[in-house]
Amino acid sequence: MPKILVVGGGYAGFYTAWKLEKHLRRGEAEVTIVDPLPYMTYQPFLPEVAAGEIEARHVVVGLRRHLKRTRVVMAKVTGIDHANRTATITPAVGEPWQETYDQIVVTAGAVSRTFPIPGIADNAIGLKTIEEAVAIRDRILTNFDRAANLPPGPERERLLTVVVVGGGFAGIEVFAETRAFASELLRSYPNLTFEETHFHLIEAMGRIMPEVSLKTSEWVLKDLAKRGANVHLDTQVTGAVDGDVELSTGQIIPTDLIIWTAGVMANPTVVRGSDLPIEERGRIRTRPDLRVGTDEEIVEGAWAAGDVSAVPDLTGKGVGGYCVPNAQHAVRQAKLLAKNLTAVLRGEVPTDYIHHNLGAVAGLGLYNGVFQSGRVAIKGFFAWIAHRGYHGMAMPSFERKFRVVGDWWQNFWFGRDNVSLEAVQNPRYVFEEFAARPRPAAPDTAPAPKLPNKEDVKS
């Protein structure tokens, strides 16, 4: 039985394994998926998780729950020796081992791309995982609680300041969602004022959201400005030491929360540890039919899709001639990859991936959004409906859709559940504080007891 190894359980990895279960007959192939996490995260919902609009567990898809005929391995792939058809599997506990395969599908995704800016690695947080989104939400809520106990002044405003770096879709969405989140929180903190909350977006380019038209991006800027947001265009972050964000303009912004969304890069652990061909941006070189290789040469038995791959965009609209790294392409590539891999196993010819982008949609907080398709742009409430409708339908499995829509419905009637669970990052703090501990042991060389003299005995 042919062995298929899927590296990565994100969009592309999960959908590839999910669709292989549909296309493959029983006993036709053995599928194994390897990922250090037991779930796939639907990343377009991370800004709403950070703003408390969706329960965190509802935007992740359990691999074992939904992949019934796939072997799930919770570990990292730290090496790929395709010449010998083996991969090095490194678990969190235990010794690494060599996994053999006949077909490998590399869908390891991307990670946040940062620069060697002082303080960023120590003080900033990304927005690529569900854990990061939850941490952002809890930090905002905790900081509001702390600020409410302080007198008006610089320290209070520092706790109420958020800095987002990066003006792409992810940056704009988390920026707008958390701005709206903070404005709503003020109702529960009567001693805090709107003027004390400061939200700054830092973008190195001269515009935001390059996926939409310039006119639409300018409308988003005006809308954010109405809500008290500060956008710094043509500006770079030069330092972030001790919570002081230094800008290339010379301005210094004291803050307790820095969110980094300024770009992604292909998973370096998988890419650097493989012998598969890599293009100049560090992604796996992939053909239009999603097999690894070039137009002239095919790497037999190797496939790639999603953010880790450089798939040619046959529509001619891709940046640099390749598909942009987003969920829209990753899901569609994975579905085709499953069909093509099944076809190759049966001696058939695979088909090329081509997808005409229907548009871009973004949420800008409750009841506000923006949608762009060609020259058509929709703004405000109806764009927000389109945003939730599209991503609600795109969420995999009926069970997950039901949970997400249920969160929206409950919040419509009862509002957000604005309670910080930041203490969950140190769940033993109460137990440790009051736990009884053994007394220190007596010294080994204790002094000999003093014997009474005769006078003491007589007395």
Side-chain angles (χ1 to χ4, degrees):
M1 186 185 302
K3 295 182 178 180
I4 301 173
L5 179 64
V6 181
V7 181
Y11 297 123
F14 171 77
Y15 270 95
T16 297
W18 204 25
K19 296 304 178 181
L20 281 173
E21 290 188 349
K22 176 182 178 181
H23 299 310
L24 292 171
R25 296 183 289 266
R26 287 192 176 273
E28 190 172 7
E30 175 186 324
V31 182
T32 298
I33 187 168
V34 182
D35 194 278
L37 297 174
Y39 51 80
M40 180 271 278
T41 302
Y42 191 74
Q43 293 181 358
F45 280 149
L46 292 183
E48 292 194 50
V49 173
E53 295 174 20
I54 303 178
E55 167 60 34
R57 290 181 183 270
H58 297 169
V59 303
V60 298
V61 181
L63 300 181
R64 297 183 189 277
R65 176 167 184 159
H66 294 276
L67 300 178
K68 304 298 185 181
R69 294 161 48 197
T70 300
R71 173 186 166 218
V72 178
V73 178
M74 189 174 167
K76 290 183 179 181
V77 173
T78 55
I80 298 175
D81 183 5
H82 190 66
N84 296 306
R85 304 292 174 100
T86 61
T88 303
I89 312 297
T90 304
V93 179
E95 296 297 324
W97 73 88
Q98 300 297 315
E99 185 83 13
T100 60
Y101 61 83
D102 299 291
Q103 302 279 339
I104 190 168
V105 179
V106 184
T107 55
V111 299
S112 296
R113 175 175 59 92
T114 60
F115 306 101
I117 301 172
I120 286 296
D122 300 321
N123 300 313
I125 186 170
L127 191 67
K128 292 291 293 179
T129 67
I130 189 66
E131 294 83 1
E132 290 174 324
V134 172
I136 291 170
R137 172 186 179 274
D138 287 343
R139 175 65 63 85
I140 292 174
L141 289 169
T142 300
N143 283 355
F144 265 73
D145 287 331
R146 292 171 178 170
N149 295 328
L150 296 175
E155 182 58 23
R156 187 154 102 170
E157 294 194 24
R158 185 183 72 84
L159 291 172
L160 300 176
T161 298
V162 176
V163 174
V164 178
V165 185
F169 256 64
I172 289 297
E173 285 192 300
V174 72
F175 183 67
E177 292 283 1
T178 52
R179 171 67 271 185
F181 181 35
S183 298
E184 185 176 322
L185 279 177
L186 290 171
R187 301 176 186 175
S188 302
Y189 298 86
N191 61 327
L192 301 180
T193 65
F194 181 86
E195 290 71 22
E196 292 177 299
T197 61
H198 306 286
F199 280 71
H200 297 267
L201 178 77
I202 316 302
E203 170 54 46
M205 297 176 59
R207 59 164 296 181
I208 61 171
M209 303 174 73
E211 299 89 347
V212 302
S213 67
L214 180 60
K215 184 178 180 180
T216 302
S217 69
E218 290 175 348
W219 178 88
V220 174
L221 287 175
K222 293 179 182 177
D223 183 74
L224 292 173
K226 292 178 183 177
R227 289 186 273 167
N230 301 285
V231 179
H232 307 260
L233 300 178
D234 293 317
T235 305
Q236 297 178 353
V237 175
T238 58
V241 179
D242 297 329
D244 290 332
V245 177
E246 301 177 17
L247 305 182
S248 56
T249 58
Q251 183 179 356
I252 297 179
I253 305 172
T255 180
D256 193 56
L257 179 57
I258 307 169
I259 305 172
W260 183 275
T261 65
V264 297
M265 64 179 180
N267 191 318
T269 302
V270 174
V271 172
R272 296 170 186 170
S274 77
D275 58 353
L276 298 174
I278 308 299
E279 50 93 58
E280 55 273 9
R281 295 189 61 184
R283 298 174 296 179
I284 295 176
R285 194 176 295 278
T286 310
R287 292 162 46 87
D289 59 11
L290 303 177
R291 287 183 286 185
V292 175
T294 62
D295 292 336
E296 296 76 24
E297 184 179 0
I298 301 174
V299 179
E300 295 293 342
W303 305 75
D307 296 355
V308 78
S309 64
V311 180
D313 190 340
L314 299 184
T315 67
K317 300 177 182 178
V319 179
Y322 296 104
C323 296
V324 296
N326 61 23
Q328 191 174 150
H329 280 302
V331 171
R332 286 172 171 80
Q333 289 170 7
K335 293 178 179 180
L336 179 63
L337 194 156
K339 290 182 179 179
N340 282 352
L341 204 163
T342 303
V344 168
L345 291 178
R346 297 172 181 172
E348 301 171 2
V349 179
T351 58
D352 289 345
Y353 173 77
I354 181 170
H355 170 63
H356 292 276
N357 191 0
L358 300 178
V361 61
L364 302 175
L366 282 176
Y367 314 122
N368 194 19
V370 61
F371 170 78
Q372 178 88 46
S373 179
R375 295 183 179 180
V376 178
I378 303 175
K379 312 174 187 73
F381 177 75
F382 292 105
W384 177 78
I385 292 292
H387 170 263
R388 285 205 162 176
Y390 172 79
H391 287 297
M393 293 297 296
M395 187 72 188
S397 86
F398 175 79
E399 176 255 345
R400 291 288 108 176
K401 289 181 174 67
F402 188 84
R403 292 182 186 272
V404 169
V405 173
D407 287 340
W408 290 336
W409 179 250
Q410 293 180 61
N411 288 346
F412 176 78
W413 294 103
F414 306 116
R416 314 178 207 227
D417 190 1
N418 295 331
V419 176
S420 172
L421 296 178
E422 191 173 47
V424 78
Q425 299 174 33
N426 181 25
R428 296 182 65 250
Y429 76 100
V430 174
F431 182 83
E432 289 177 340
E433 182 178 356
F434 297 102
R437 291 175 170 82
R439 294 181 178 180
D444 294 336
T445 57
K450 182 179 180 182
L451 297 177
N453 53 35
K454 293 180 180 180
E455 287 76 12
D456 292 335
V457 172
K458 290 178 181 180
S459 63

